[in-house]
Amino acid sequence: MERVAILVDVQNVYYTTKQVFGRHFDYNAFWKQVTDGREVAAAFAYAIARDDVKQRQFQNILRGIGFEVRLKPYLQRSDGSTKGDWDVGITLDAIRLAEQVDRIVLVSGDGDFDLLAQRARHRYGVAFDVFGVAELTARSLRLAASEFVAIDEGLLLAGRRD
């Protein structure tokens, strides 16, 4: 049975699906699609920690699906800008897991991950699939992936949710 590692950039998928579709990503549908006939070696959802009831509920839903939720503090700089991305953490986990799995599935459209996809495929010989919103996924990442899967109606929750 194929072993898979699932890595979800929660902030990226939240903002891209909201921007293009005005809807939220369906984590249950995604889980069903990517785990069917596969053994899940690891599944991480990378999110920003906020002291917010809705966020804690969402994180518990992710845990119930099967994800380990990794949280990073939300930082607001003195100039008003914010920081809270997981690029380095996702990359470190992917490289560590590449020797243990047959396939890595990344949910993100961030072009910074193109080098990661190339390295995982060529150095470790793993398949590297990318799920992202087509219009907002970097071309370099789409090209670096073994397979690019465009997030569409089948991976969105019904109705508009804000």
Side-chain angles (χ1 to χ4, degrees):
M1 184 174 280
E2 184 179 61
R3 290 176 49 84
V4 64
I6 304 165
L7 312 172
V8 179
D9 184 347
V10 171
Q11 303 306 115
N12 183 278
V13 75
Y14 172 80
Y15 287 108
T16 58
T17 56
K18 187 174 180 178
Q19 180 179 337
V20 172
F21 301 107
R23 292 167 55 197
H24 292 288
F25 187 64
D26 187 338
Y27 285 88
N28 282 300
F30 166 75
W31 183 270
K32 184 176 180 187
Q33 182 174 334
V34 300
T35 63
D36 187 37
R38 295 178 175 148
E39 176 188 346
V40 178
F44 300 125
Y46 303 87
I48 304 306
R50 293 184 188 217
D51 192 26
D52 176 283
V53 172
K54 287 179 89 173
Q55 285 299 312
R56 286 193 302 272
Q57 290 171 342
F58 171 66
Q59 293 160 9
N60 287 333
I61 289 169
L62 291 175
R63 289 181 186 101
I65 292 169
F67 289 99
E68 177 182 323
V69 178
R70 298 215 167 162
L71 298 173
K72 181 179 271 195
Y74 174 78
L75 301 174
Q76 185 157 12
R77 298 182 185 112
S78 58
D79 68 359
S81 64
T82 60
K83 173 102 175 104
D85 75 53
W86 267 100
D87 291 7
V88 173
I90 292 169
T91 299
L92 290 172
D93 283 340
I95 292 299
R96 178 181 56 82
L97 291 163
E99 294 181 309
Q100 304 169 29
V101 299
D102 305 299
R103 179 175 306 274
I104 294 173
V105 175
L106 172 69
V107 180
S108 182
D110 189 334
D112 290 341
F113 293 120
D114 59 359
L115 294 174
L116 170 62
Q118 290 171 16
R119 173 65 55 99
R121 291 180 63 212
H122 299 295
R123 183 169 186 169
Y124 298 99
V126 299
F128 197 101
D129 299 344
V130 172
F131 282 68
V133 174
E135 299 91 325
L136 299 176
T137 297
R139 183 175 189 274
S140 61
L141 180 58
R142 291 166 57 162
L143 292 173
S146 303
E147 180 180 357
F148 172 72
V149 179
I151 294 173
D152 61 13
E153 292 294 320
L155 291 173
L156 298 170
L157 292 173
R160 185 175 181 87
R161 295 185 56 192
D162 292 312

